[in-house]
Amino acid sequence: MRKRILSGMQPTGELHLGNYLGALANWVRLQDEYDCFFCVVDQHAITVDHNARALPGLVFDMAVSYLAAGVDPERSTVFIQSAVPEHTELAWYLATVTQHGELSRMTQFKDKSDQQGEASAALFTYPVLMAADILIYKATHVPVGEDQTQHLELARNAAQRFNGRFQKGFFPLPQGLYSNTPRIMGLDGLRKMSKSLGNHISMLEEPKPLWKKLAGAYTDPQRTTVTEPGRPEVCNVYRMHTALTDAARLPVIAEQCRSAEWGCGHCKKELEASLNTALAPIRERAKELKANRALVDQILGDGASKARKVAQQTLREVRELMGIVGPR
Ligand code: SF4
């Protein structure tokens, strides 16, 4: 069987450059090698307080971002999580082989519940739903960031226990695929790129605001004058170059920086060109897709039908193995 991937993002509206380079660009590459299932995880989004009126628009925008970035519905299955209700049913079955202690050790739960005050039961159990998202497709691989390692481990544990209790080898133990793209920090250079922190470049940023943001981006803090040599290895602008600029140019850029032949403005101008080359086609596709809602809905509907066929088969087998049978 071709190796299979499941991945998804919460509908947070338009994505930023860090999301694109750290996740989406990687998904686009993985489509050549894997059978890919990519979903918008709207049921994860409701585990914390959310705006019900805004949610459908956010889901649509996220689907547009996937497609505009190059996720190809001809090669990958693209859908909304809640359109495949088998995820939540499997989550219940997997909860029976997941330990309470494992869930209470999840650092993301601790972080989010601290922010929320009173945490919901859904927030506590959402790693089980995440395990179901993966295992319902018997995915063999999951693209993960460092902060998701714990969740993947929980999915592997659940699969292993299920296999041990009901059928050896039933679920593959999903492996993590870690992106080798360097982690892009926010434009303040200090924290992760994030919309809520306002230190981001949007994936769909127009050229003018893009340059405005880039011009003020944090570089090497020790380089206070143009004549001072810089250190590309500590500079977030250089890190962005490594993800976006032609590899043959990188040693030249590093050398110009170290020998102080370039000011940071010159360096950022070259990055601006690389960014516009990468983002211009994405911006254009996003505009076309936003203007053609029927097409996006059609893609998501087809994706959900395709995903459901696989999910229903897995669920039939799971019910059978667990003794959940009888007229229905
Ligand atoms: Fe960073 Fe470029 Fe300035 Fe060097 S020249 S410190 S790599 S922005």
Side-chain angles (χ1 to χ4, degrees), residues 210-289:
L210 189 152
W211 172 245
K212 208 173 159 196
K213 288 184 174 182
L214 207 51
Y218 193 79
T219 60
D220 172 3
Q222 281 184 23
R223 191 173 193 203
T224 48
T225 62
V226 181
T227 51
E228 203 134 12
R231 299 171 300 164
E233 59 281 2
V234 302
C235 175
N236 194 39
V237 169
Y238 184 74
R239 217 169 288 147
M240 289 192 253
H241 269 300
T242 62
L244 290 152
T245 302
D246 185 357
R249 283 288 301 158
L250 298 177
V252 181
I253 295 169
E255 184 45 36
Q256 306 273 36
C257 170
R258 287 197 189 96
S259 61
E261 278 179 48
W262 264 12
C264 292
H266 194 136
C267 184
K268 287 176 177 177
K269 270 284 169 200
E270 184 156 342
L271 179 60
E272 182 197 19
S274 303
L275 269 165
N276 277 322
T277 303
L279 300 185
I282 299 177
R283 281 195 297 260
E284 283 318 301
R285 276 197 297 272
K287 277 178 198 156
E288 287 162 21
L289 289 162

Coordinates of all heavy atoms in Angstrom, one line a residue, residues 210-289:
L210 N 3.7 44.1 2.5 CA 4.8 43.1 2.7 C 6.1 43.8 3.0 O 6.9 43.6 3.9 CB 4.9 42.2 1.5 CG 5.8 41.0 1.7 CD1 5.2 39.8 0.8 CD2 7.2 41.2 1.3
W211 N 6.5 44.8 2.1 CA 7.7 45.5 2.2 C 7.8 46.3 3.5 O 8.8 46.4 4.2 CB 8.0 46.4 1.0 CG 9.2 47.2 1.2 CD1 9.3 48.6 1.3 CD2 10.6 46.7 1.5 NE1 10.6 49.0 1.6 CE2 11.4 47.9 1.8 CE3 11.2 45.5 1.6 CZ2 12.7 47.8 2.1 CZ3 12.5 45.4 1.9 CH2 13.3 46.5 2.1
K212 N 6.6 46.9 3.8 CA 6.6 47.7 5.1 C 6.9 46.9 6.3 O 7.7 47.3 7.1 CB 5.2 48.3 5.2 CG 5.1 49.6 5.9 CD 3.8 50.2 5.9 CE 3.7 51.2 7.0 NZ 2.3 51.6 7.4
K213 N 6.4 45.7 6.3 CA 6.7 44.8 7.4 C 8.1 44.3 7.4 O 8.8 44.3 8.4 CB 5.7 43.6 7.4 CG 4.3 43.9 7.7 CD 3.5 42.6 7.8 CE 2.1 43.0 8.2 NZ 1.2 41.7 8.3
L214 N 8.6 44.0 6.2 CA 9.9 43.4 6.1 C 11.0 44.5 6.5 O 12.0 44.2 7.1 CB 10.1 43.0 4.6 CG 11.1 41.9 4.4 CD1 10.9 40.7 5.3 CD2 11.1 41.5 2.9
A215 N 10.7 45.7 6.0 CA 11.7 46.8 6.3 C 11.9 47.0 7.8 O 13.0 47.3 8.2 CB 11.1 48.1 5.7
G216 N 10.9 46.7 8.6 CA 11.1 46.8 10.0 C 11.5 45.5 10.8 O 11.5 45.5 12.0
A217 N 11.8 44.5 10.0 CA 12.0 43.2 10.6 C 13.3 43.2 11.4 O 14.3 43.8 10.9 CB 12.0 42.1 9.6
Y218 N 13.3 42.5 12.5 CA 14.5 42.3 13.4 C 15.6 41.6 12.6 O 15.3 40.6 11.9 CB 14.0 41.6 14.6 CG 14.8 41.5 15.8 CD1 14.9 42.6 16.7 CD2 15.5 40.3 16.1 CE1 15.7 42.5 17.8 CE2 16.3 40.2 17.2 CZ 16.4 41.3 18.1 OH 17.2 41.2 19.2
T219 N 16.8 41.9 12.8 CA 17.9 41.2 12.2 C 18.9 40.7 13.2 O 18.5 40.2 14.2 CB 18.6 42.1 11.1 OG1 19.1 43.3 11.8 CG2 17.7 42.6 10.0
D220 N 20.2 40.9 13.0 CA 21.2 40.6 14.0 C 21.3 41.7 15.0 O 21.7 42.8 14.6 CB 22.5 40.3 13.3 CG 23.7 40.1 14.3 OD1 23.4 40.1 15.5 OD2 24.8 40.0 13.8
P221 N 20.9 41.6 16.2 CA 20.9 42.7 17.1 C 22.2 43.3 17.4 O 22.3 44.5 17.7 CB 20.3 42.1 18.4 CG 20.6 40.6 18.3 CD 20.5 40.3 16.9
Q222 N 23.3 42.6 17.1 CA 24.7 43.2 17.3 C 25.1 44.1 16.1 O 26.1 44.8 16.2 CB 25.7 42.1 17.5 CG 25.7 41.5 18.9 CD 26.7 40.5 19.1 OE1 27.8 40.5 18.4 NE2 26.5 39.6 20.1
R223 N 24.3 44.0 15.0 CA 24.7 44.8 13.8 C 24.0 46.1 13.9 O 22.9 46.3 13.4 CB 24.4 44.0 12.6 CG 25.0 44.7 11.4 CD 24.8 43.9 10.1 NE 25.7 44.5 9.1 CZ 25.6 44.4 7.8 NH1 24.6 43.7 7.3 NH2 26.4 45.0 7.0
T224 N 24.6 47.1 14.5 CA 23.9 48.3 14.7 C 24.2 49.4 13.7 O 23.5 50.4 13.5 CB 24.3 48.9 16.1 OG1 25.7 48.9 16.2 CG2 23.7 48.1 17.3
T225 N 25.3 49.2 12.9 CA 25.7 50.1 11.8 C 26.0 49.2 10.5 O 26.3 48.1 10.6 CB 26.9 51.0 12.1 OG1 28.0 50.1 12.3 CG2 26.7 51.8 13.3
V226 N 25.9 49.9 9.4 CA 26.1 49.2 8.1 C 27.6 48.7 8.0 O 27.8 47.6 7.4 CB 25.9 50.2 6.9 CG1 26.1 49.5 5.6 CG2 24.5 50.8 7.0
T227 N 28.5 49.4 8.7 CA 29.9 49.0 8.6 C 30.2 47.8 9.5 O 31.3 47.2 9.4 CB 30.8 50.1 8.9 OG1 30.3 50.7 10.2 CG2 30.7 51.2 7.8
E228 N 29.3 47.5 10.4 CA 29.6 46.4 11.3 C 29.3 45.0 10.7 O 28.2 44.9 10.0 CB 28.6 46.6 12.5 CG 29.1 45.9 13.7 CD 28.9 46.8 14.9 OE1 28.2 47.9 14.8 OE2 29.4 46.5 15.9
P229 N 30.2 44.0 10.8 CA 29.9 42.7 10.1 C 28.6 42.1 10.8 O 28.4 42.3 12.0 CB 31.1 41.9 10.4 CG 32.1 42.8 10.9 CD 31.5 44.1 11.4
G230 N 27.8 41.4 10.1 CA 26.7 40.7 10.6 C 26.9 39.2 10.8 O 27.9 38.7 10.4
R231 N 25.9 38.6 11.5 CA 26.0 37.1 11.7 C 24.7 36.5 11.1 O 23.7 36.4 11.8 CB 26.1 36.9 13.2 CG 27.3 37.5 13.9 CD 27.2 37.4 15.4 NE 26.0 38.1 15.9 CZ 25.5 37.9 17.1 NH1 26.0 37.1 17.9 NH2 24.4 38.6 17.4
P232 N 24.8 36.0 9.9 CA 23.6 35.4 9.3 C 23.0 34.3 10.1 O 21.8 34.1 10.1 CB 24.1 35.0 7.9 CG 25.6 35.0 7.9 CD 26.0 36.0 9.0
E233 N 23.9 33.5 10.8 CA 23.4 32.4 11.5 C 22.5 32.7 12.6 O 21.7 31.8 13.1 CB 24.6 31.5 12.0 CG 25.6 32.2 12.9 CD 26.6 33.1 12.3 OE1 26.6 33.2 11.0 OE2 27.5 33.7 13.0
V234 N 22.5 33.9 13.1 CA 21.5 34.3 14.2 C 20.4 35.2 13.6 O 19.5 35.6 14.4 CB 22.2 35.0 15.4 CG1 23.3 34.2 16.0 CG2 22.7 36.4 14.9
C235 N 20.4 35.5 12.3 CA 19.4 36.4 11.8 C 18.2 35.8 11.2 O 18.3 34.9 10.3 CB 20.2 37.3 10.7 SG 19.1 38.4 9.9
N236 N 17.0 36.3 11.6 CA 15.8 35.7 11.1 C 15.5 36.0 9.6 O 14.9 35.2 8.9 CB 14.6 36.2 12.0 CG 13.3 35.5 11.8 OD1 13.4 34.2 11.7 ND2 12.2 36.2 11.7
V237 N 16.1 37.1 9.2 CA 15.9 37.5 7.8 C 16.7 36.4 6.9 O 16.2 35.9 5.9 CB 16.4 38.9 7.5 CG1 16.5 39.2 6.0 CG2 15.5 39.9 8.1
Y238 N 17.9 36.1 7.4 CA 18.7 35.1 6.7 C 18.0 33.8 6.7 O 17.9 33.0 5.7 CB 20.1 35.0 7.3 CG 20.9 34.0 6.5 CD1 21.4 34.4 5.2 CD2 21.2 32.7 6.9 CE1 22.2 33.5 4.5 CE2 21.9 31.8 6.2 CZ 22.4 32.2 4.9 OH 23.1 31.4 4.2
R239 N 17.3 33.4 7.8 CA 16.6 32.2 7.9 C 15.5 32.1 6.9 O 15.2 31.1 6.2 CB 16.0 32.1 9.3 CG 16.0 30.6 9.9 CD 15.6 30.6 11.3 NE 16.7 31.1 12.2 CZ 16.5 31.8 13.3 NH1 15.3 32.0 13.8 NH2 17.5 32.2 14.0
M240 N 14.8 33.3 6.7 CA 13.8 33.3 5.6 C 14.4 33.1 4.2 O 13.9 32.5 3.4 CB 13.0 34.6 5.7 CG 12.1 34.7 6.9 SD 10.9 36.1 6.8 CE 11.6 37.2 8.0
H241 N 15.6 33.7 4.1 CA 16.3 33.5 2.8 C 16.5 32.0 2.5 O 16.3 31.5 1.4 CB 17.7 34.2 2.8 CG 17.7 35.6 2.3 ND1 17.3 35.9 1.0 CD2 18.1 36.8 2.9 CE1 17.4 37.3 0.8 NE2 17.9 37.8 2.0
T242 N 16.9 31.3 3.6 CA 17.3 29.9 3.4 C 16.0 29.1 2.9 O 16.1 28.1 2.2 CB 17.8 29.2 4.6 OG1 16.9 29.3 5.7 CG2 19.1 29.9 5.1
A243 N 14.8 29.6 3.3 CA 13.6 28.9 2.9 C 13.1 29.4 1.5 O 12.3 28.6 0.9 CB 12.5 29.1 4.0
L244 N 13.5 30.6 1.1 CA 12.8 31.1 -0.1 C 13.7 31.5 -1.2 O 13.3 31.6 -2.4 CB 12.1 32.4 0.4 CG 10.9 32.2 1.3 CD1 10.6 33.4 2.2 CD2 9.6 31.9 0.4
T245 N 15.0 31.8 -0.9 CA 15.9 32.3 -2.0 C 16.6 31.1 -2.6 O 16.9 30.1 -1.9 CB 16.9 33.3 -1.4 OG1 16.1 34.3 -0.8 CG2 17.8 33.9 -2.4
D246 N 17.0 31.2 -3.9 CA 17.7 30.2 -4.6 C 18.9 29.8 -3.8 O 19.7 30.6 -3.3 CB 18.2 30.8 -5.9 CG 18.8 29.8 -6.8 OD1 19.0 28.7 -6.4 OD2 19.2 30.2 -8.0
A247 N 19.1 28.5 -3.6 CA 20.2 28.0 -2.7 C 21.6 28.5 -3.2 O 22.5 28.7 -2.3 CB 20.2 26.4 -2.7
A248 N 21.8 28.7 -4.5 CA 23.1 29.1 -5.0 C 23.4 30.5 -4.5 O 24.6 30.9 -4.4 CB 23.1 29.1 -6.5
R249 N 22.4 31.3 -4.1 CA 22.6 32.7 -3.7 C 23.0 32.8 -2.2 O 23.5 33.8 -1.7 CB 21.3 33.5 -3.8 CG 21.1 34.0 -5.2 CD 22.0 35.1 -5.7 NE 22.0 36.3 -4.9 CZ 23.0 37.2 -4.9 NH1 24.0 37.0 -5.6 NH2 22.9 38.3 -4.1
L250 N 22.7 31.7 -1.4 CA 22.8 31.8 0.0 C 24.3 32.1 0.5 O 24.5 32.9 1.3 CB 22.2 30.5 0.7 CG 20.7 30.3 0.5 CD1 20.3 29.0 1.1 CD2 19.9 31.5 1.0
P251 N 25.3 31.3 -0.1 CA 26.6 31.6 0.4 C 27.0 33.1 0.1 O 27.7 33.7 0.9 CB 27.5 30.7 -0.4 CG 26.6 29.7 -1.0 CD 25.2 30.3 -1.0
V252 N 26.5 33.6 -1.0 CA 26.9 35.0 -1.4 C 26.2 36.0 -0.4 O 26.9 36.9 0.1 CB 26.3 35.3 -2.8 CG1 26.6 36.7 -3.2 CG2 26.8 34.3 -3.8
I253 N 25.0 35.7 0.0 CA 24.3 36.6 0.9 C 25.0 36.6 2.3 O 25.3 37.6 2.9 CB 22.8 36.2 1.1 CG1 22.1 36.4 -0.3 CG2 22.1 36.9 2.2 CD1 20.7 35.8 -0.3
A254 N 25.4 35.3 2.7 CA 26.0 35.2 4.0 C 27.4 35.9 4.0 O 27.7 36.6 5.0 CB 26.2 33.7 4.3
E255 N 28.1 35.8 2.9 CA 29.4 36.5 2.8 C 29.3 38.0 2.8 O 30.0 38.7 3.5 CB 30.1 35.9 1.5 CG 31.5 36.4 1.3 CD 32.4 36.4 2.6 OE1 32.2 35.4 3.4 OE2 33.2 37.3 2.8
Q256 N 28.3 38.5 2.0 CA 28.1 40.0 2.0 C 27.8 40.5 3.4 O 28.2 41.6 3.8 CB 26.9 40.3 1.1 CG 27.0 39.7 -0.3 CD 27.8 40.7 -1.3 OE1 28.7 41.3 -0.8 NE2 27.4 40.7 -2.5
C257 N 27.0 39.7 4.1 CA 26.6 40.1 5.5 C 27.9 40.1 6.4 O 28.1 41.1 7.1 CB 25.6 39.1 6.0 SG 25.2 39.3 7.8
R258 N 28.6 39.0 6.4 CA 29.8 38.9 7.3 C 30.8 39.9 7.0 O 31.5 40.4 7.9 CB 30.4 37.5 7.2 CG 29.6 36.4 7.8 CD 30.4 35.1 8.1 NE 29.4 34.1 8.5 CZ 28.9 33.2 7.7 NH1 29.2 33.2 6.4 NH2 28.0 32.3 8.2
S259 N 31.0 40.3 5.7 CA 32.1 41.2 5.4 C 31.5 42.7 5.3 O 32.3 43.6 4.9 CB 32.6 40.8 4.0 OG 31.6 40.9 3.0
A260 N 30.3 42.8 5.8 CA 29.7 44.2 5.8 C 29.7 44.9 4.5 O 29.7 46.1 4.4 CB 30.4 45.0 6.9
E261 N 29.6 44.1 3.4 CA 29.6 44.8 2.1 C 28.1 45.3 1.8 O 27.9 46.1 1.0 CB 30.0 43.8 1.0 CG 31.5 43.8 0.9 CD 31.9 42.8 -0.2 OE1 31.4 42.9 -1.3 OE2 32.8 42.0 0.1
W262 N 27.2 44.6 2.5 CA 25.8 45.0 2.3 C 25.2 45.5 3.6 O 25.5 45.1 4.7 CB 25.0 43.7 2.1 CG 24.8 43.3 0.8 CD1 25.3 43.8 -0.4 CD2 23.9 42.2 0.3 NE1 24.8 43.2 -1.5 CE2 24.0 42.2 -1.0 CE3 23.1 41.3 1.0 CZ2 23.2 41.3 -1.8 CZ3 22.4 40.4 0.3 CH2 22.4 40.4 -1.1
G263 N 24.3 46.4 3.5 CA 23.5 46.8 4.6 C 22.3 45.9 4.7 O 22.0 45.1 3.7
C264 N 21.6 45.9 5.8 CA 20.4 45.0 6.0 C 19.3 45.3 5.0 O 18.5 44.5 4.6 CB 19.9 45.0 7.4 SG 21.1 44.3 8.5
G265 N 19.2 46.6 4.6 CA 18.2 47.0 3.7 C 18.3 46.3 2.3 O 17.4 45.8 1.8
H266 N 19.6 46.2 1.9 CA 19.8 45.6 0.6 C 19.4 44.1 0.7 O 18.8 43.5 -0.2 CB 21.3 45.7 0.3 CG 21.7 45.4 -1.1 ND1 22.6 46.1 -1.8 CD2 21.4 44.3 -1.9 CE1 22.7 45.6 -3.0 NE2 22.0 44.5 -3.1
C267 N 19.8 43.5 1.8 CA 19.5 42.1 2.0 C 18.0 41.8 2.1 O 17.5 40.8 1.5 CB 20.2 41.7 3.4 SG 20.1 40.0 3.8
K268 N 17.3 42.7 2.7 CA 15.9 42.6 2.8 C 15.2 42.8 1.5 O 14.2 42.2 1.2 CB 15.3 43.6 3.8 CG 15.6 43.2 5.3 CD 15.1 44.3 6.2 CE 15.4 44.0 7.7 NZ 15.0 45.1 8.6
K269 N 15.8 43.7 0.6 CA 15.2 43.9 -0.7 C 15.3 42.6 -1.5 O 14.4 42.2 -2.2 CB 16.0 45.0 -1.4 CG 15.4 46.3 -1.2 CD 14.1 46.5 -2.0 CE 13.3 47.7 -1.7 NZ 11.9 47.7 -2.1
E270 N 16.4 41.9 -1.4 CA 16.5 40.6 -2.1 C 15.5 39.6 -1.5 O 14.9 38.8 -2.3 CB 18.0 40.1 -2.0 CG 18.1 38.8 -2.8 CD 19.5 38.5 -3.3 OE1 20.4 39.4 -3.2 OE2 19.7 37.3 -3.7
L271 N 15.3 39.6 -0.2 CA 14.3 38.7 0.4 C 12.9 39.1 -0.1 O 12.1 38.2 -0.4 CB 14.4 38.8 1.9 CG 13.4 37.9 2.6 CD1 13.5 36.4 2.2 CD2 13.4 38.0 4.1
E272 N 12.6 40.4 -0.2 CA 11.3 40.8 -0.7 C 11.1 40.2 -2.1 O 10.0 39.7 -2.4 CB 11.3 42.4 -0.8 CG 10.0 42.9 -1.3 CD 10.0 44.3 -1.8 OE1 11.1 44.8 -2.1 OE2 9.0 45.0 -1.9
A273 N 12.1 40.2 -3.0 CA 11.9 39.7 -4.3 C 11.6 38.2 -4.2 O 10.7 37.7 -4.9 CB 13.2 39.9 -5.1
S274 N 12.3 37.5 -3.4 CA 12.1 36.0 -3.2 C 10.7 35.8 -2.7 O 10.0 34.9 -3.1 CB 13.1 35.4 -2.2 OG 14.4 35.6 -2.6
L275 N 10.3 36.6 -1.7 CA 8.9 36.4 -1.1 C 7.8 36.7 -2.2 O 6.9 35.9 -2.3 CB 8.7 37.4 0.0 CG 9.1 36.9 1.4 CD1 9.2 38.1 2.4 CD2 8.1 35.9 1.9
N276 N 8.0 37.7 -3.0 CA 7.0 38.0 -4.0 C 6.9 36.9 -5.0 O 5.8 36.6 -5.5 CB 7.2 39.4 -4.6 CG 6.6 40.5 -3.7 OD1 5.5 40.3 -3.1 ND2 7.3 41.6 -3.5
T277 N 8.1 36.4 -5.4 CA 8.1 35.3 -6.4 C 7.3 34.1 -5.8 O 6.5 33.5 -6.5 CB 9.6 34.8 -6.7 OG1 10.3 36.0 -7.1 CG2 9.6 33.7 -7.7
A278 N 7.5 33.8 -4.5 CA 6.8 32.6 -4.0 C 5.3 32.9 -3.7 O 4.5 32.1 -3.9 CB 7.5 32.3 -2.6
L279 N 5.0 34.1 -3.3 CA 3.6 34.4 -2.8 C 2.7 34.9 -3.9 O 1.5 34.8 -3.8 CB 3.6 35.4 -1.6 CG 4.4 34.9 -0.4 CD1 4.2 35.9 0.7 CD2 4.0 33.6 0.1
A280 N 3.3 35.5 -5.0 CA 2.4 36.1 -6.0 C 1.4 35.1 -6.6 O 0.2 35.4 -6.7 CB 3.2 36.8 -7.1
P281 N 1.9 33.9 -7.0 CA 0.9 32.9 -7.6 C -0.1 32.5 -6.5 O -1.2 32.2 -6.9 CB 1.8 31.8 -8.1 CG 3.2 32.0 -7.6 CD 3.3 33.4 -7.1
I282 N 0.3 32.4 -5.3 CA -0.6 32.0 -4.2 C -1.7 33.0 -4.0 O -2.9 32.7 -3.9 CB 0.1 31.7 -2.9 CG1 1.2 30.6 -3.1 CG2 -0.8 31.4 -1.8 CD1 2.0 30.3 -1.9
R283 N -1.3 34.3 -4.0 CA -2.3 35.4 -3.9 C -3.3 35.3 -5.0 O -4.5 35.5 -4.8 CB -1.5 36.8 -4.0 CG -0.8 37.2 -2.7 CD -0.5 38.7 -2.8 NE 0.5 39.0 -3.8 CZ 1.8 39.2 -3.7 NH1 2.3 39.1 -2.5 NH2 2.6 39.5 -4.7
E284 N -2.8 35.1 -6.3 CA -3.6 35.1 -7.4 C -4.7 34.0 -7.3 O -5.8 34.1 -7.5 CB -2.8 35.0 -8.7 CG -2.1 36.3 -9.2 CD -3.0 37.5 -9.0 OE1 -4.1 37.5 -9.6 OE2 -2.7 38.4 -8.2
R285 N -4.1 32.8 -7.0 CA -5.0 31.6 -6.9 C -6.1 31.8 -5.8 O -7.3 31.5 -6.0 CB -4.3 30.3 -6.6 CG -3.7 29.7 -7.9 CD -3.3 28.2 -7.6 NE -2.2 28.1 -6.6 CZ -0.9 28.1 -6.9 NH1 -0.5 28.3 -8.1 NH2 0.0 28.0 -5.9
A286 N -5.7 32.4 -4.7 CA -6.6 32.7 -3.6 C -7.7 33.6 -4.0 O -8.9 33.4 -3.7 CB -5.9 33.2 -2.4
K287 N -7.3 34.6 -4.8 CA -8.4 35.6 -5.3 C -9.4 34.8 -6.2 O -10.6 35.0 -6.1 CB -7.7 36.7 -6.1 CG -7.2 37.8 -5.2 CD -6.5 38.9 -6.0 CE -5.6 39.7 -5.1 NZ -4.5 40.4 -5.7
E288 N -8.9 34.0 -7.1 CA -9.7 33.3 -8.0 C -10.7 32.3 -7.2 O -11.9 32.3 -7.5 CB -8.9 32.4 -9.0 CG -8.2 33.2 -10.1 CD -7.1 32.5 -10.7 OE1 -7.1 31.2 -10.7 OE2 -6.2 33.1 -11.3
L289 N -10.1 31.7 -6.2 CA -10.9 30.7 -5.5 C -12.0 31.4 -4.6 O -13.1 31.0 -4.5 CB -10.0 29.8 -4.6 CG -9.1 28.8 -5.3 CD1 -8.0 28.4 -4.4 CD2 -10.0 27.6 -5.7

